Amino acid sequence: MNKGKPQISFVVGEDRCLAEIISRTEIEPLLRSLVKAGPVWAVVLDEDRLPLCRQGDDRPLEKLREISHPLLVEGEPQGMLVIAFDPLACGGAEALALLARDALQLTITNNLKRMLTTEMHTSIVQESYDQLVETNQRLTKSEGRYRELALQLERKVEERTTELQKAYSRMLQQEKLAAVGGLAAGMAHEINNPNGFVHSNISTLGRYVERMKEMLNFYQLLIAANTPLQQMREDTEQRRRTLKLEVVFSDTAALLEQSLEGTDRIARIVADLKAFSHVDERGDSDADLNVELERILSVLAPQIPPGTAITKGLQRLPPFGCNPGLLSQAFFNIIQNAIQSRSEGLQLNIYSENPGDEIVIRIADNGCGIPVDNLYRVFEPFFSTREVGCGTGMGLAVAREIIKGTGGNIEIESEEGSGTTVTVRLPNRNLAAIKVNHE
Amino acid sequence: MIEFDEQKKRLVLKLVYYGPALSGKTTNLLTLHDQLSLDGRGELMLLDTAEDRTIYFDLLPFFYVSPSGMKIKLKVYTVPGQVRHDATRKAVLQRADGVVFVADSHAAQMSVNFESFDNLEKNLSMVGLSIERLPLVLQFNKRDLPDIVPDDDIRRAWGPTGLPVFMASALKGWGVLETFQEILGLTFDAVNARHGLTARFGVEREVFLSEILRVQQ
């Protein structure tokens, strides 16, 4: 388990030699008292018959008698207690020898038990310690790994956040392009209409000019031929009637007026579109939100279903410091939703007011409404109930982001089948106030 | 195997009685101690206990000397069965030559038996022994008690292991010798196959078994 580390190796059952179990200092006092009590000498021999401890005199053996008793280790004779005594001088030597044997045997057995339990205990403690060390190392390692993961996670979150921000600004741009694209279809019609009649008026005027030229040429011809005045009066009168110049003259004025009106209309549409898209503007400026709302209504005009009743209650608003292009995009999305909520009989109400320190703009319709289950999801990006290809699912998500960006908020109330009201609340602040706040 | 010294002609073998707490491992050893002749064995050594429960191990040694002078010492151990003494069990299992698994026959103890057997398998592999190759005998103890699992059920549940199964009542003294004889025989065969006890040292299986299993008169 722990390679290269010194460890107590102990196997339960390994045999022990007598010297390991009982020490000389334990045997010596016993043998000394034994010798004092009578025997001439006493010795404890180990398993190889070598003396472990000896006490008493060295007298010649022939006069003495010897008694020996085996000493058992785990029941097996492993050593020997030998005593020698003078049979004439020492009585009761057998009893003394047995007593000494029992005392030694008891010490051996108890020592062995103590050794076994101690060794077992030590090896278990060592093992538990090793396990704890190992567990600790594992935990330290995994803690390190988690810390590293956490760091990586932070970096990942940062990266993803940056990516998300980039994606978001791309998305805003795309949403804007999509709105302009949608508008263009309606606008094309709006522009083609006056363009068509201006074109037709100009062709008519061309034909009228031909007739007038012909009349003038006729005059010149008559003058060159010195036609008598009376004759000239009659001929020219005749020609004027043939060329229907009376009608031409009265029509020309009307045609010119109409055509000018047409080009004016085109100019106005272009101006609205340009103003709505704020193409010429960069960054923030003070905007009159009522003007922005009016402009949105006019660029959306081609999409408004016929017979729609539009009620406007626009109260005077203080200038609002914002990026007008972005903010009108937000209102455009909200109003476009209202317009698409019903194909006929639409009632569209747009109110603005400035109670105290906020600007409130409310856009309400009597359209299809939003089911309760969907209501909490309408601000989710890409959530759409329109058919594929008919909606990006980004309209309200973008509107909310833009409005939140100006420090305002957007709320939506709806009842399925009876209509939707969107309320936008914006802080009362102009550009100067924003700049002061930033400094 | 604890020790094998060919020069000194000395072999020390280890048998281990394993099993769940209170299944009767120590009682098995006490019964062997009571029934077998003192000639072939040493004294039973019971190490420290807590509330009469084994916390280290018990040891009963046996001895045999073959006519050729081969000395075989057989040390029979028990392990503490309580879950918390796993480290001790592992230590006692080291280098074992044979294992007797003592199971409790009581109907409520079957899952405990299985758990303990799993523990045996795990610990054997941790001390480098293979449960497939190690001589192993099962003993269902306490057959004298009521509410025990019937023989048939036991044999059906454990038969597929292919292990010898013995029914016993260590307390009443029956089935213990039979279990011991079986593990002794299997262990002898395993050691004989590896070290040629009969061929090289003239140790005869039947003589060895009958010497160790001499019943007290």
Side-chain angles (χ1 to χ4, degrees):
Chain A
M1 207 187 325
N2 281 279
K3 285 158 198 113
K5 195 176 152 204
Q7 216 181 336
I8 295 168
S9 77
F10 162 70
V11 175
V12 177
E14 255 173 2
D15 275 354
R16 305 277 157 184
C17 61
L18 201 58
E20 285 178 298
I21 299 168
I22 190 162
S23 70
R24 198 188 162 81
T25 51
E26 284 172 295
I27 305 171
E28 216 177 75
L30 193 82
L31 295 189
R32 208 182 298 132
S33 340
L34 187 63
V35 170
K36 255 186 213 164
V40 180
W41 51 259
V43 64
V44 170
L45 303 172
D46 68 10
E47 40 277 284
D48 297 320
R49 304 248 153 205
L50 297 171
L52 209 60
C53 179
R54 189 190 160 95
Q55 288 290 307
D57 300 333
D58 280 320
R59 274 198 234 162
L61 196 64
E62 50 264 34
K63 284 185 185 169
L64 302 176
R65 257 194 65 201
E66 262 184 46
I67 300 176
S68 64
H69 287 296
L71 297 171
L72 307 177
V73 174
E74 290 182 357
E76 190 184 23
Q78 279 208 11
M80 190 93 83
L81 167 70
V82 184
I83 68 168
F85 62 99
D86 185 347
L88 301 171
C90 177
E94 282 90 351
L96 276 176
L98 278 177
L99 199 68
R101 197 262 332 247
D102 288 349
L104 282 171
Q105 191 62 60
L106 192 68
T107 311
I108 290 169
T109 310
N110 284 341
N111 282 1
L112 185 63
K113 278 191 185 178
R114 202 191 61 230
M115 280 170 73
L116 290 177
T117 47
T118 309
E119 281 171 335
M120 173 71 83
H121 183 75
T122 312
S123 74
I124 289 167
V125 167
Q126 181 67 45
E127 196 193 320
S128 317
Y129 175 74
D130 288 343
Q131 276 173 358
L132 281 179
V133 168
E134 207 188 326
T135 309
N136 184 38
Q137 281 171 349
R138 249 195 344 261
L139 284 177
T140 311
K141 216 190 260 176
S142 79
E143 195 203 340
R145 209 164 52 234
Y146 279 120
R147 199 175 300 139
E148 201 178 312
L149 275 178
L151 268 179
Q152 278 179 0
L153 198 65
E154 246 169 63
R155 271 203 300 278
K156 273 265 156 60
V157 167
E158 245 168 66
E159 275 171 31
R160 289 286 154 87
T161 310
T162 318
E163 266 174 47
L164 206 63
Q165 274 164 353
K166 278 186 195 158
Y168 172 64
S169 50
R170 269 202 306 277
M171 183 192 78
L172 270 186
Q173 195 54 37
Q174 277 166 4
E175 179 68 9
K176 180 127 203 164
L177 284 174
V180 171
L183 277 178
M187 287 297 142
H189 178 72
E190 282 297 283
I191 292 171
N192 264 343
N193 207 15
N195 193 46
F197 66 75
V198 168
H199 186 272
S200 134
N201 285 0
I202 289 171
S203 342
T204 310
L205 280 172
R207 281 199 309 280
Y208 287 174
V209 168
E210 281 306 313
R211 283 193 217 176
M212 282 187 245
K213 256 166 82 183
E214 195 183 330
M215 192 67 221
L216 281 176
N217 286 341
F218 187 60
Y219 274 118
Q220 265 172 348
L221 215 67
L222 289 181
I223 289 165
N226 286 324
T227 316
L229 199 58
Q230 187 54 41
Q231 178 71 37
M232 214 161 134
R233 201 174 280 144
E234 280 168 17
D235 285 356
T236 55
E237 196 54 41
Q238 170 76 31
R239 187 52 72 93
R240 268 178 82 117
R241 270 201 298 277
T242 320
L243 289 173
K244 297 179 183 155
L245 280 189
E246 293 312 317
V247 182
V248 167
F249 288 150
S250 69
D251 206 19
T252 299
L255 284 179
L256 283 174
E257 200 185 333
Q258 241 180 34
S259 297
L260 282 175
E261 208 177 278
T263 55
D264 280 351
R265 240 167 90 185
I266 292 172
R268 207 165 50 243
I269 290 167
V270 170
D272 275 348
L273 202 54
K274 201 171 142 195
F276 165 72
S277 65
H278 294 268
V279 280
D280 294 338
E281 293 169 32
R282 296 184 126 227
D284 292 355
S285 62
D286 278 332
D288 182 341
L289 297 184
N290 287 338
V291 173
E292 298 291 334
L293 288 170
E294 292 276 20
R295 204 179 278 140
I296 290 162
L297 276 178
S298 65
V299 294
L300 275 171
Q303 296 180 26
I304 295 174
T308 299
I310 300 179
T311 312
K312 284 182 276 188
L314 304 179
Q315 292 178 14
R316 229 176 80 83
L317 298 177
F320 181 65
C322 63
N323 180 326
L326 275 182
L327 197 62
S328 59
Q329 172 74 47
F331 285 114
F332 176 88
N333 290 352
I334 297 166
I335 294 171
Q336 195 177 36
N337 277 345
I339 287 170
Q340 290 171 353
S341 70
R342 194 171 173 134
S343 57
E344 56 182 29
L346 175 68
Q347 288 172 24
L348 178 61
N349 303 324
I350 299 180
Y351 304 102
S352 67
E353 52 182 342
N354 180 29
D357 56 358
E358 62 175 3
I359 294 170
V360 180
I361 290 162
R362 193 170 283 123
I363 293 145
D365 64 58
N366 63 339
C368 57
I370 302 162
V372 182
D373 287 348
N374 291 344
L375 202 54
Y376 71 100
R377 300 190 59 193
V378 292
F379 293 116
E380 249 175 54
F382 306 109
F383 177 77
S384 176
T385 55
R386 299 200 216 290
E387 274 174 46
V388 178
C390 298
T392 58
M394 296 304 292
L396 285 176
V398 165
R400 186 174 69 162
E401 286 308 311
I402 292 169
I403 287 160
K404 272 166 70 182
T406 66
N409 68 61
I410 177 169
E411 289 161 22
I412 191 156
E413 293 163 62
S414 185
E415 200 176 315
E416 196 175 1
S418 59
T420 303
T421 302
V422 178
T423 307
V424 175
R425 292 171 199 280
L426 299 169
N428 213 352
R429 53 161 210 195
N430 56 24
L431 207 56
I434 298 173
K435 281 182 179 155
V436 168
N437 272 350
H438 276 236
E439 275 157 15
Chain B
M1 184 175 305
I2 297 170
E3 191 185 332
F4 183 39
D5 190 330
E6 296 196 22
Q7 242 90 57
K8 287 186 182 166
K9 290 191 168 182
R10 183 176 167 77
L11 172 65
V12 184
L13 298 176
K14 184 197 265 192
L15 295 183
V16 177
Y17 277 64
Y18 209 92
L22 297 172
S23 66
K25 299 172 289 294
T26 302
T27 315
N28 258 272
L29 254 56
L30 284 167
T31 305
L32 287 176
H33 177 264
D34 289 348
Q35 295 189 351
L36 293 177
S37 162
L38 191 58
D39 287 350
R41 64 163 172 82
E43 281 304 312
L44 176 63
M45 195 193 295
L46 303 173
L47 290 195
D48 303 10
T49 58
E51 293 159 352
D52 230 12
R53 312 275 299 268
T54 307
I55 53 171
Y56 290 104
F57 53 78
D58 310 314
L59 165 62
L60 181 60
F62 293 87
F63 315 102
Y64 168 74
V65 183
S66 77
S68 65
M70 184 75 192
K71 278 177 271 178
I72 301 179
K73 187 170 179 183
L74 182 72
K75 296 187 176 186
V76 183
Y77 289 91
T78 62
V79 295
Q82 295 170 74
V83 175
R84 71 177 99 142
H85 294 308
D86 198 44
T88 310
R89 273 196 294 281
K90 217 177 326 175
V92 175
L93 262 188
Q94 276 184 85
R95 284 155 65 172
D97 297 284
V99 170
V100 174
F101 184 80
V102 182
D104 192 327
S105 291
H106 195 275
Q109 295 295 309
M110 287 305 114
S111 65
V112 179
N113 290 333
F114 282 118
E115 266 166 43
S116 175
F117 196 83
D118 272 352
N119 176 258
L120 169 65
E121 194 168 358
K122 191 194 86 197
N123 281 343
L124 279 176
S125 79
M126 285 185 84
V127 299
L129 293 170
S130 155
I131 199 164
E132 304 290 330
R133 285 200 296 274
L134 190 75
L136 178 58
V137 174
L138 298 181
Q139 181 194 77
F140 276 82
N141 193 17
K142 308 191 187 177
R143 302 305 292 170
D144 54 309
L145 295 181
D147 295 330
I148 54 171
V149 177
D151 285 22
D152 287 351
D153 289 2
I154 287 172
R155 293 191 193 283
R156 207 175 306 123
W158 292 86
T161 61
L163 298 170
V165 178
F166 288 86
M167 301 297 159
S169 168
L171 208 60
K172 303 271 181 210
W174 51 268
V176 173
L177 277 187
E178 289 81 350
T179 311
F180 186 54
Q181 180 170 2
E182 179 73 15
I183 193 63
L184 209 54
L186 289 176
T187 305
F188 181 90
D189 293 342
V191 176
N192 194 24
R194 248 179 307 152
H195 299 287
L197 291 182
T198 309
R200 295 171 58 210
F201 303 97
V203 184
E204 295 295 335
R205 183 184 203 267
E206 294 319 312
V207 180
F208 171 73
L209 287 187
S210 63
E211 282 294 309
I212 298 272
L213 291 165
R214 248 184 301 168
V215 177
Q216 235 172 70
Q217 299 304 309

